[in-house]
Amino acid sequence: MYSGADRLLHRIALGSPALLEATFDIERATHRGKIAAVPIRRPVFIAGLARAGTSILTRLLHQGGGFAAPSYRDLPFPLAPNSWARLGGKRHVEASERGHGDGLTHDLDSPEAIEEVFWRALEGKRYLRRDGLAPAAPDPETLAAFRDYVRLVLLRHGGARYLSKNNNNILRLEALATSFPDALLIHPFRDPLQQALSLLSQHRRAARLAGEDPFRRRFMTWLGHHEFGADHRPFLFDGAPGRDEDPTGVGYWLKLWDSVHRALLSAPARVRERQFFVDYDALCASPRRYAPRLAVLVEAPIASAALRAAEPRHAEADPALLARVAETHAALRACFRARFD
C-alpha cells in the first residue's frame, strides 16, 4: 500500500509524538469554532482482546450509516484529519486483504484502529512500558483534548456518532465512562482456547512479516498496536503473563485472556453501567436472534450476513489453566445472557 515516499512521510509524521501533538494543536485551533458546535451523542467504543470479532463488529456498525470513525485515509496525520483531507487525503487505493490473512479486506476508508495514535502522543509516558501496557488514568487536560479529537473526526467524516475500535481503551475505561456518560463500551469475547489459538497464530504471522519488512513493525508500533507480533506488549492487569513467559505457547495467551477478562469483569460501577459483553460465538451461531438485539442496543442497523464463525481448532493446555479460563468464560457468558436474552 505504501511507496518509498509514503514510508518516509509516515516515518516523519508518526515517529515523533511531539510532531503529532503539534499537528493536533494546529488542527484544534484551526477548527475550534466549528467543533464547538459538534455534539457528541452516544459514542461507541469497541474494546477488548484482539481476535474476538472487533473488526467485523466495527465494520457492521459503520456500514449501517450514521457513524464516523478514523480510517487509513487520515494517515499519516491522524490528529489533523480535516487539514490533511484538504492537502493530500484524496488518493485511491484498491481494497486488499489485510495483513492478518483472515480474508477481511480493507481500503483507505475502512474504519480502523487509528485512534490510539492520539493516546500514544499525549499519554504514552503514562502507560507505555517496555514490558507491557499498564492501566493508567489519563490527565484531565488530555480527556478534554480527546473530546475535541472526537469532534474533529465527526467533522471530518460527517457522521452523527463516533465509533471507536481500539483495544487499548481497556486501559482507560473509567476515564472514558466519566468523559462520555452516555457511551457504549462493547467488549466482544470468544471461547478462550479458540481466541488464544488465534492470537498465537497471529503472533507468529505478524512476527514473520515484521522480519521480512522492518517498516511493518515500526508502523504497528506507531499506531499503538502491540496485541501480537514483533513488538508485542501484553496488558499488565493482575495475572498477566510475565516477561519470562513464552508467547509462542498457547498457555501464554490463555493467561493473557484470563487476566484481561477478569479485569473487565471487575471494573468500577460507573464502567459496568456502560459495559456490554458480546459473545461473538453466540452472535455467529444465532445471528437472527442476537444481531437485532445488538442493533437495538446500539441504535443502529446491523447486517448479520457477514457474521461467520471460524473453524474450531484443538490444542493441549494446562488443565488448571483451562479450568480457570472456563470459569471466567462462564461469567462473561452470564453477563451476555443478562443483557441479550
Side-chain angles (χ1 to χ4, degrees):
M1 181 181 292
Y2 295 118
S3 66
D6 286 332
R7 293 183 176 214
L8 176 60
L9 183 58
H10 279 68
R11 184 177 296 112
I12 294 170
L14 294 172
S16 168
L19 179 57
L20 283 167
E21 190 170 356
T23 64
F24 175 68
D25 289 342
I26 294 170
E27 171 91 349
R28 196 182 184 190
T30 301
H31 299 280
R32 187 174 299 280
K34 290 182 179 180
I35 63 174
V38 176
I40 303 175
R41 184 182 70 85
R42 285 178 67 76
V44 175
F45 295 91
I46 298 177
L49 194 60
R51 310 305 298 164
T54 53
S55 292
I56 290 178
L57 286 177
T58 302
R59 293 182 184 199
L60 290 179
L61 289 179
H62 194 260
Q63 288 167 7
F67 283 102
S71 72
Y72 280 120
R73 191 172 294 281
D74 298 330
L75 297 179
F77 298 101
L79 305 192
N82 296 278
S83 300
W84 176 239
R86 292 198 304 272
L87 294 172
K90 297 181 180 180
R91 65 193 181 108
H92 174 73
V93 174
E94 292 295 329
S96 60
E97 185 177 10
R98 64 181 189 161
H100 297 67
D102 53 9
L104 285 181
T105 61
H106 63 178
D107 58 26
L108 292 179
D109 296 308
S110 301
E112 272 300 339
I114 308 297
E115 174 199 287
E116 185 62 18
V117 176
F118 171 91
W119 296 106
R120 180 177 68 84
L122 276 71
E123 291 281 321
K125 293 180 180 180
R126 289 177 181 268
Y127 71 93
L128 278 171
R129 292 175 20 182
R130 288 188 177 183
D131 60 337
L133 308 182
D139 186 276
E141 290 185 3
T142 304
L143 290 173
F146 181 64
R147 289 183 63 85
D148 280 350
Y149 167 76
V150 168
R151 292 187 179 98
L152 288 166
V153 173
L154 290 167
L155 180 66
R156 162 67 179 93
H157 293 285
R161 297 170 65 191
Y162 180 70
L163 175 62
S164 163
K165 173 198 155 191
N166 183 2
N167 291 326
N168 289 358
N169 275 336
I170 65 176
L171 300 170
R172 54 187 78 99
L173 289 177
E174 188 168 11
L176 291 176
T178 301
S179 240
F180 304 94
D182 62 344
L184 301 177
L185 307 176
I186 297 180
H187 307 312
F189 66 92
R190 288 174 57 198
D191 173 89
L193 181 58
Q194 298 307 311
Q195 192 169 348
L197 287 170
S198 183
L199 284 162
L200 172 58
S201 175
Q202 287 299 321
H203 177 68
R204 290 170 172 166
R205 177 184 178 87
R208 175 177 58 80
L209 291 174
E212 296 170 358
D213 182 3
F215 175 80
R216 179 184 290 270
R217 171 177 179 164
R218 290 193 291 269
F219 185 66
M220 291 297 103
T221 297
W222 293 332
L223 296 187
H225 294 331
H226 302 284
E227 291 96 334
F228 39 70
D231 195 17
H232 166 60
R233 305 185 203 188
F235 294 113
L236 299 177
F237 295 112
D238 288 344
R243 296 183 67 177
D244 59 338
E245 297 188 54
D246 182 12
T248 63
V250 69
Y252 175 97
W253 299 99
L254 281 170
K255 195 170 181 180
L256 180 62
W257 186 98
D258 193 63
S259 66
V260 165
H261 290 98
R262 284 180 180 264
L264 292 175
L265 286 165
S266 62
R270 72 172 62 186
V271 174
R272 292 200 301 272
E273 292 171 356
R274 312 310 310 158
Q275 280 181 313
F276 298 89
F277 292 96
V278 176
D279 186 339
Y280 188 72
D281 297 324
L283 191 61
C284 289
S286 303
R288 292 185 179 180
R289 178 180 185 182
Y290 291 118
R293 299 180 188 188
L294 180 59
V296 170
L297 169 71
V298 299
E299 299 179 9
I302 294 178
S304 60
L307 293 167
R308 61 179 185 273
E311 288 295 321
R313 291 181 283 177
H314 304 280
E316 297 294 327
D318 175 57
L321 181 54
L322 287 174
R324 180 176 173 84
V325 298
E327 179 183 274
T328 308
H329 189 221
L332 291 168
R333 295 183 69 190
C335 290
F336 171 74
R337 289 193 299 269
R339 294 277 196 179
F340 290 91
D341 280 340

